[in-house]
């Protein structure tokens, strides 16, 4: 499902028990200097990630000051994030001139401890190549290194390297729990383009060998993926970014099932096996 950009007025874009991606939660919060925003999401663990701007965060006594380093856009430096336990009350206060903040979450049944992820604690992966039109960089905010501190939530930022090209290829899905071959993980994206009048396409193919759907994605588009194979591409001359939220049904580790028609290309794309391993 494609949700075009709109003024959500700091209200969830993907709320709890969403009919398409019930395992996900997503909000975009926009603040001016000195403004505060408070929230709690029963039944979901969440993560606060400034897209731009800086915020001070208080989670029922756990404090993280000066979270967020970027000013101009998501290409302007490294991300930072703060993990918020299930149902905890979190307050953020904008300390920069303005801030745009992603709040993402996954359904989970236990209460863990809050913690911050600073820019020097990210797990970085770069793979693909210009020749295969698959060159991209992934910045894991809540990646595999936090398996013992997070329940079901995986949070990453994905960037195309260079202008134009494909991401999420070879086509894969993760809509069914059938270990050891695949896990059920609902997934939500928010896209940005540089320059911001750029755009791309999100494909969604429900069955191998049959025609699927395609969505025209623009700066600020949100995509909710419940099932099917889902590569995406950006127009030549533009860079693409997408904020990625994954929520697992029965485990945090993601096991992708690659589309049989294209799975052989795992062997042709440099570094892709390392990328796959970083989600497990």
């Amino acid at each position: 499902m494609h949700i075009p950009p709109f003024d959500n007025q700091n209200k969830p874009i993907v709320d709890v028990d969403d009919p398409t991606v019930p395992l996900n939660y997503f909000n975009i919060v926009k603040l001016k200097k000195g403004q505060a925003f408070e929230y709690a999401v029963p039944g979901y663990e969440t993560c606060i990630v400034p897209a731009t701007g800086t915020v001070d965060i208080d989670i029922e006594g756990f404090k993280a000051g000066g979270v967020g380093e970027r000013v101009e856009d998501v290409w302007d430096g490294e991300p930072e994030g703060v993990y918020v336990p299930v149902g905890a009350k979190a307050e953020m206060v904008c300390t920069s001139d303005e801030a745009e903040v992603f709040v993402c979450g996954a359904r989970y049944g236990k209460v863990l401890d809050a913690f911050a992820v600073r820019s020097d604690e990210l797990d970085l992966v770069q793979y693909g190549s210009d020749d295969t039109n698959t060159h991209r960089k992934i910045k894991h905010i809540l990646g595999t290194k936090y398996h013992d501190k997070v329940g079901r939530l995986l949070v990453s930022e994905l960037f195309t390297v260079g202008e134009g090209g494909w991401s999420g290829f070879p086509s894969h899905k993760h809509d069914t729990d059938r270990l050891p071959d695949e896990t059920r993980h609902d997934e939500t994206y928010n896209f940005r383009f540089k320059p911001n009048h750029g755009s791309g396409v999100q494909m969604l193919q429900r069955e191998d060998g049959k025609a699927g759907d395609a969505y025209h994605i623009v700066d600020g588009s949100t995509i909710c993926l419940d099932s099917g194979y889902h590569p995406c591409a950006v127009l030549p001359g533009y860079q693409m970014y997408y904020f990625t939220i994954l929520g697992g049904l029965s485990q945090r580790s993601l096991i992708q099932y690659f589309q049989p028609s294209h799975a052989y290309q795992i062997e042709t794309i440099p570094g892709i096996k390392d990328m796959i391993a970083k989600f497990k």
Side-chain angles (χ1 to χ4, degrees), residues 16-95:
V16 299
D17 298 324
D18 181 85
T20 303
V21 284
L23 303 179
N24 291 168
Y25 175 89
F26 180 52
N27 193 4
I28 297 178
V29 177
K30 295 181 179 179
L31 301 171
K32 301 291 186 182
K33 190 169 187 175
Q35 288 183 330
F37 180 81
E38 184 179 287
Y39 78 91
V41 189
Y44 288 72
E45 57 186 349
T46 61
C47 185
I48 298 170
V49 180
T52 55
T54 305
V55 294
D56 290 342
I57 297 171
D58 186 337
I59 305 166
E60 298 181 356
F62 172 85
K63 298 181 185 296
V67 179
E69 302 177 344
R70 301 183 289 208
V71 178
E72 294 296 328
D73 55 31
V74 293
W75 284 269
D76 183 24
E78 305 296 341
E80 295 190 321
V82 174
Y83 174 81
V84 181
V86 172
K89 183 174 72 173
E91 181 185 62
M92 65 184 85
V93 179
C94 179
T95 59

Side-chain angles (χ1 to χ4, degrees), residues 188-251:
T188 298
Y189 301 145
N190 186 262
F191 287 88
R192 303 296 161 96
F193 294 90
K194 186 177 183 178
N196 63 9
H197 59 270
S199 64
V201 62
Q202 173 72 63
M203 293 174 59
L204 183 59
Q205 189 176 8
R206 301 290 184 181
E207 295 183 53
D208 190 22
K210 294 186 178 181
D213 301 316
Y215 304 98
H216 180 207
I217 49 176
V218 298
D219 196 73
S221 284
T222 298
I223 289 284
C224 298
L225 296 166
D226 58 339
S227 65
Y229 305 101
H230 48 272
C232 56
V234 56
L235 294 174
Y238 299 95
Q239 297 179 57
M240 182 171 71
Y241 157 100
Y242 53 113
F243 185 73
T244 302
I245 308 159
L246 282 159
L249 177 64
S250 61
Q251 65 177 43

Side-chain angles (χ1 to χ4, degrees), residues 42-267:
Y44 288 72
E45 57 186 349
T46 61
C47 185
I48 298 170
V49 180
T52 55
T54 305
V55 294
D56 290 342
I57 297 171
D58 186 337
I59 305 166
E60 298 181 356
F62 172 85
K63 298 181 185 296
V67 179
E69 302 177 344
R70 301 183 289 208
V71 178
E72 294 296 328
D73 55 31
V74 293
W75 284 269
D76 183 24
E78 305 296 341
E80 295 190 321
V82 174
Y83 174 81
V84 181
V86 172
K89 183 174 72 173
E91 181 185 62
M92 65 184 85
V93 179
C94 179
T95 59
S96 52
D97 288 340
E98 56 186 12
E100 181 184 18
V101 184
F102 298 137
V103 179
C104 60
R107 185 187 287 169
Y108 190 53
K110 298 178 182 179
V111 177
L112 304 175
D113 295 325
F115 65 93
V117 180
R118 296 298 184 172
S119 58
D120 60 354
E121 298 172 309
L122 303 170
D123 199 356
L124 306 177
V125 181
Q126 189 162 332
Y127 80 94
S129 66
D130 295 337
D131 290 344
T132 58
N133 296 311
T134 59
H135 203 176
R136 69 172 182 165
K137 182 184 295 183
I138 304 176
K139 301 178 180 182
H140 291 282
I141 301 163
L142 293 184
T144 55
K145 66 189 293 185
Y146 295 112
H147 271 339
D148 60 338
K149 301 178 74 172
V150 182
R152 296 286 185 268
L153 180 61
L154 290 158
V155 182
S156 304
E157 295 188 335
L158 292 87
F159 298 77
T160 57
V161 177
E163 298 177 340
W166 285 88
S167 189
F169 189 84
S171 308
H172 61 275
K173 72 182 186 75
H174 37 76
D175 55 34
T176 307
D177 260 345
R178 50 188 191 98
L179 294 169
D181 297 319
E182 183 181 1
T183 54
R184 158 79 183 275
H185 277 72
D186 290 354
E187 189 164 28
T188 298
Y189 301 145
N190 186 262
F191 287 88
R192 303 296 161 96
F193 294 90
K194 186 177 183 178
N196 63 9
H197 59 270
S199 64
V201 62
Q202 173 72 63
M203 293 174 59
L204 183 59
Q205 189 176 8
R206 301 290 184 181
E207 295 183 53
D208 190 22
K210 294 186 178 181
D213 301 316
Y215 304 98
H216 180 207
I217 49 176
V218 298
D219 196 73
S221 284
T222 298
I223 289 284
C224 298
L225 296 166
D226 58 339
S227 65
Y229 305 101
H230 48 272
C232 56
V234 56
L235 294 174
Y238 299 95
Q239 297 179 57
M240 182 171 71
Y241 157 100
Y242 53 113
F243 185 73
T244 302
I245 308 159
L246 282 159
L249 177 64
S250 61
Q251 65 177 43
R252 186 163 186 262
S253 295
L254 171 70
I255 300 177
Q256 303 158 319
Y257 178 74
F258 286 88
Q259 187 171 3
S261 298
H262 308 300
Y264 72 94
Q265 293 202 46
I266 291 173
E267 305 298 332

